[in-house]
Short mmCIF file of all heavy atoms in Angstrom, two decimals:
data_model
loop_
_atom_site.label_atom_id
_atom_site.label_comp_id
_atom_site.label_asym_id
_atom_site.label_seq_id
_atom_site.Cartn_x
_atom_site.Cartn_y
_atom_site.Cartn_z
N TRP A 124 -9.26 14.54 5.30
CA TRP A 124 -7.76 14.27 4.66
C TRP A 124 -7.84 14.13 3.30
O TRP A 124 -7.04 14.66 2.52
CB TRP A 124 -7.15 13.18 5.47
CG TRP A 124 -5.89 12.77 4.88
CD1 TRP A 124 -4.67 13.42 5.04
CD2 TRP A 124 -5.63 11.62 4.12
NE1 TRP A 124 -3.70 12.72 4.34
CE2 TRP A 124 -4.22 11.60 3.73
CE3 TRP A 124 -6.43 10.56 3.60
CZ2 TRP A 124 -3.67 10.60 2.99
CZ3 TRP A 124 -5.82 9.56 2.85
CH2 TRP A 124 -4.45 9.67 2.58
N ALA A 125 -8.71 13.21 2.84
CA ALA A 125 -8.80 12.82 1.29
C ALA A 125 -9.66 13.77 0.54
O ALA A 125 -9.67 13.64 -0.63
CB ALA A 125 -9.37 11.39 1.33
N GLY A 126 -10.18 14.77 1.19
CA GLY A 126 -11.05 15.74 0.40
C GLY A 126 -12.28 15.13 -0.14
O GLY A 126 -12.66 15.53 -1.25
N VAL A 127 -12.95 14.28 0.59
CA VAL A 127 -14.13 13.61 -0.05
C VAL A 127 -15.33 13.78 1.02
O VAL A 127 -16.37 13.12 0.82
CB VAL A 127 -13.96 12.04 -0.24
CG1 VAL A 127 -12.92 11.85 -1.45
CG2 VAL A 127 -13.55 11.32 1.02
N HIS A 129 -17.45 16.09 1.15
CA HIS A 129 -18.74 16.49 0.39
C HIS A 129 -19.46 15.33 -0.29
O HIS A 129 -20.53 15.36 -0.78
CB HIS A 129 -18.41 17.67 -0.59
CG HIS A 129 -17.40 17.24 -1.69
ND1 HIS A 129 -16.06 16.90 -1.41
CD2 HIS A 129 -17.55 16.97 -3.03
CE1 HIS A 129 -15.47 16.61 -2.45
NE2 HIS A 129 -16.32 16.60 -3.53
N SER A 139 -15.99 9.07 -9.67
CA SER A 139 -14.94 9.06 -10.71
C SER A 139 -13.81 8.28 -10.27
O SER A 139 -13.67 8.02 -9.12
CB SER A 139 -14.60 10.53 -11.02
OG SER A 139 -13.80 10.97 -9.91
N GLY A 141 -10.75 9.20 -9.88
CA GLY A 141 -9.92 10.02 -8.99
C GLY A 141 -10.51 9.98 -7.62
O GLY A 141 -9.84 9.83 -6.62
N GLU A 142 -11.76 10.20 -7.56
CA GLU A 142 -12.57 10.05 -6.27
C GLU A 142 -12.45 8.69 -5.68
O GLU A 142 -12.19 8.64 -4.37
CB GLU A 142 -14.03 10.51 -6.48
CG GLU A 142 -14.17 11.94 -6.80
CD GLU A 142 -15.52 12.32 -7.44
OE1 GLU A 142 -16.27 11.40 -7.89
OE2 GLU A 142 -15.86 13.52 -7.60
N GLN A 144 -9.98 6.56 -6.01
CA GLN A 144 -8.64 6.36 -5.44
C GLN A 144 -8.51 7.03 -4.13
O GLN A 144 -7.83 6.58 -3.21
CB GLN A 144 -7.66 6.88 -6.50
CG GLN A 144 -6.21 6.61 -6.31
CD GLN A 144 -5.88 5.12 -6.21
OE1 GLN A 144 -5.55 4.61 -5.10
NE2 GLN A 144 -5.95 4.45 -7.31
N ARG A 145 -9.07 8.30 -3.99
CA ARG A 145 -8.95 9.00 -2.74
C ARG A 145 -9.72 8.34 -1.60
O ARG A 145 -9.33 8.29 -0.49
CB ARG A 145 -9.38 10.45 -2.94
CG ARG A 145 -8.22 11.23 -3.61
CD ARG A 145 -8.52 12.72 -3.72
NE ARG A 145 -9.58 12.99 -4.70
CZ ARG A 145 -10.61 13.92 -4.57
NH1 ARG A 145 -10.68 14.48 -3.41
NH2 ARG A 145 -11.46 14.06 -5.54
N LEU A 148 -7.66 5.46 -0.59
CA LEU A 148 -6.57 5.88 0.27
C LEU A 148 -7.13 6.20 1.78
O LEU A 148 -6.53 5.83 2.75
CB LEU A 148 -5.86 7.11 -0.20
CG LEU A 148 -5.00 6.87 -1.54
CD1 LEU A 148 -4.57 8.09 -2.08
CD2 LEU A 148 -3.85 5.98 -1.12
N PRO A 164 -0.90 4.41 -7.77
CA PRO A 164 -2.09 5.20 -7.25
C PRO A 164 -2.47 6.25 -8.23
O PRO A 164 -3.69 6.73 -8.27
CB PRO A 164 -1.55 5.78 -5.96
CG PRO A 164 -0.08 5.66 -6.07
CD PRO A 164 0.23 4.54 -6.91
N THR A 165 -1.66 6.66 -9.21
CA THR A 165 -2.06 7.79 -10.15
C THR A 165 -2.13 7.22 -11.54
O THR A 165 -2.40 8.13 -12.42
CB THR A 165 -1.08 8.88 -10.09
OG1 THR A 165 0.29 8.49 -10.38
CG2 THR A 165 -1.01 9.56 -8.59
N LEU A 168 -5.12 8.26 -13.65
CA LEU A 168 -5.67 9.64 -13.39
C LEU A 168 -4.94 10.65 -14.16
O LEU A 168 -3.72 10.51 -14.45
CB LEU A 168 -5.53 9.93 -11.91
CG LEU A 168 -6.13 8.86 -10.85
CD1 LEU A 168 -5.81 9.42 -9.46
CD2 LEU A 168 -7.51 8.69 -11.12
N ASP A 169 -5.57 11.83 -14.38
CA ASP A 169 -4.75 12.90 -15.00
C ASP A 169 -5.25 14.19 -14.34
O ASP A 169 -6.23 14.13 -13.51
CB ASP A 169 -4.82 12.89 -16.47
CG ASP A 169 -6.19 12.77 -16.94
OD1 ASP A 169 -7.18 13.29 -16.23
OD2 ASP A 169 -6.30 12.37 -18.14
N GLY A 170 -4.69 15.30 -14.72
CA GLY A 170 -5.11 16.70 -14.22
C GLY A 170 -5.18 16.77 -12.75
O GLY A 170 -4.33 16.19 -12.03
N GLU A 171 -6.30 17.37 -12.38
CA GLU A 171 -6.48 17.68 -10.90
C GLU A 171 -6.58 16.43 -10.07
O GLU A 171 -6.14 16.44 -9.00
CB GLU A 171 -7.71 18.58 -10.77
CG GLU A 171 -7.75 19.36 -9.55
CD GLU A 171 -9.03 20.00 -9.11
OE1 GLU A 171 -9.99 20.02 -10.09
OE2 GLU A 171 -9.24 20.41 -8.08
N ALA A 172 -7.24 15.47 -10.61
CA ALA A 172 -7.45 14.18 -9.86
C ALA A 172 -6.06 13.60 -9.41
O ALA A 172 -5.91 13.17 -8.43
CB ALA A 172 -8.30 13.15 -10.67
N ARG A 173 -5.19 13.58 -10.40
CA ARG A 173 -3.81 13.07 -10.20
C ARG A 173 -3.14 13.94 -9.14
O ARG A 173 -2.44 13.44 -8.20
CB ARG A 173 -3.02 13.01 -11.43
CG ARG A 173 -1.70 12.49 -11.39
CD ARG A 173 -0.98 12.38 -12.78
NE ARG A 173 0.42 12.67 -12.58
CZ ARG A 173 1.00 13.84 -12.69
NH1 ARG A 173 0.29 14.93 -12.98
NH2 ARG A 173 2.29 13.98 -12.51
N GLU A 174 -3.17 15.28 -9.24
CA GLU A 174 -2.46 16.16 -8.33
C GLU A 174 -3.06 15.97 -6.95
O GLU A 174 -2.29 16.01 -5.97
CB GLU A 174 -2.79 17.67 -8.76
CG GLU A 174 -2.09 18.02 -10.10
CD GLU A 174 -0.63 17.94 -10.03
OE1 GLU A 174 -0.05 18.07 -8.99
OE2 GLU A 174 0.09 17.91 -11.07
N GLN A 175 -4.32 15.78 -6.83
CA GLN A 175 -4.99 15.51 -5.52
C GLN A 175 -4.43 14.34 -4.71
O GLN A 175 -4.20 14.32 -3.59
CB GLN A 175 -6.47 15.56 -5.57
CG GLN A 175 -7.12 16.83 -5.86
CD GLN A 175 -8.57 16.74 -6.34
OE1 GLN A 175 -8.96 15.71 -6.88
NE2 GLN A 175 -9.38 17.80 -6.14
N VAL A 176 -4.25 13.29 -5.63
CA VAL A 176 -3.67 12.04 -5.05
C VAL A 176 -2.23 12.19 -4.61
O VAL A 176 -1.84 11.92 -3.49
CB VAL A 176 -3.81 10.84 -5.96
CG1 VAL A 176 -3.03 9.69 -5.51
CG2 VAL A 176 -5.38 10.43 -6.04
N ILE A 177 -1.48 12.87 -5.56
CA ILE A 177 -0.04 13.14 -5.19
C ILE A 177 0.12 13.90 -3.92
O ILE A 177 1.00 13.63 -3.04
CB ILE A 177 0.58 13.77 -6.37
CG1 ILE A 177 0.74 12.91 -7.56
CG2 ILE A 177 2.08 14.34 -5.94
CD1 ILE A 177 1.24 13.56 -8.90
N ALA A 178 -0.77 14.87 -3.71
CA ALA A 178 -0.72 15.77 -2.55
C ALA A 178 -0.93 14.97 -1.18
O ALA A 178 -0.43 15.42 -0.10
CB ALA A 178 -1.69 16.86 -2.56
N LEU A 179 -1.61 13.90 -1.34
CA LEU A 179 -1.88 13.00 -0.04
C LEU A 179 -0.64 12.29 0.45
O LEU A 179 -0.56 11.84 1.52
CB LEU A 179 -3.06 12.21 -0.41
CG LEU A 179 -4.38 12.80 -0.58
CD1 LEU A 179 -5.42 11.78 -0.95
CD2 LEU A 179 -4.85 13.58 0.58
N ILE A 180 0.22 11.90 -0.57
CA ILE A 180 1.28 10.92 -0.18
C ILE A 180 2.17 11.36 1.05
O ILE A 180 2.46 10.58 1.90
CB ILE A 180 2.07 10.51 -1.48
CG1 ILE A 180 1.14 10.06 -2.59
CG2 ILE A 180 3.15 9.51 -1.09
CD1 ILE A 180 0.34 8.77 -2.30
N PRO A 181 2.74 12.55 0.94
CA PRO A 181 3.78 12.93 1.96
C PRO A 181 3.11 12.87 3.39
O PRO A 181 3.83 12.60 4.41
CB PRO A 181 4.14 14.35 1.66
CG PRO A 181 3.89 14.48 0.13
CD PRO A 181 2.65 13.62 -0.08
N SER A 182 1.77 13.17 3.50
CA SER A 182 1.17 13.12 4.81
C SER A 182 1.12 11.77 5.45
O SER A 182 0.87 11.56 6.60
CB SER A 182 -0.18 13.82 4.83
OG SER A 182 -1.06 13.14 3.91
N GLU A 198 6.47 12.76 -11.19
CA GLU A 198 6.16 13.76 -10.11
C GLU A 198 6.12 13.07 -8.68
O GLU A 198 6.65 13.58 -7.75
CB GLU A 198 4.89 14.56 -10.41
CG GLU A 198 4.76 15.73 -9.59
CD GLU A 198 3.48 16.62 -9.89
OE1 GLU A 198 2.98 16.31 -11.03
OE2 GLU A 198 3.08 17.29 -9.11
#
Side-chain angles (χ1 to χ4, degrees):
W124 170 77
V127 295
H129 62 294
S139 71
E142 289 164 346
Q144 187 61 247
R145 283 185 287 137
L148 288 171
T165 61
L168 309 179
D169 51 25
E171 198 189 348
R173 182 175 148 270
E174 296 294 339
Q175 284 167 336
V176 167
I177 292 173
L179 294 176
I180 304 300
S182 61
E198 196 175 341

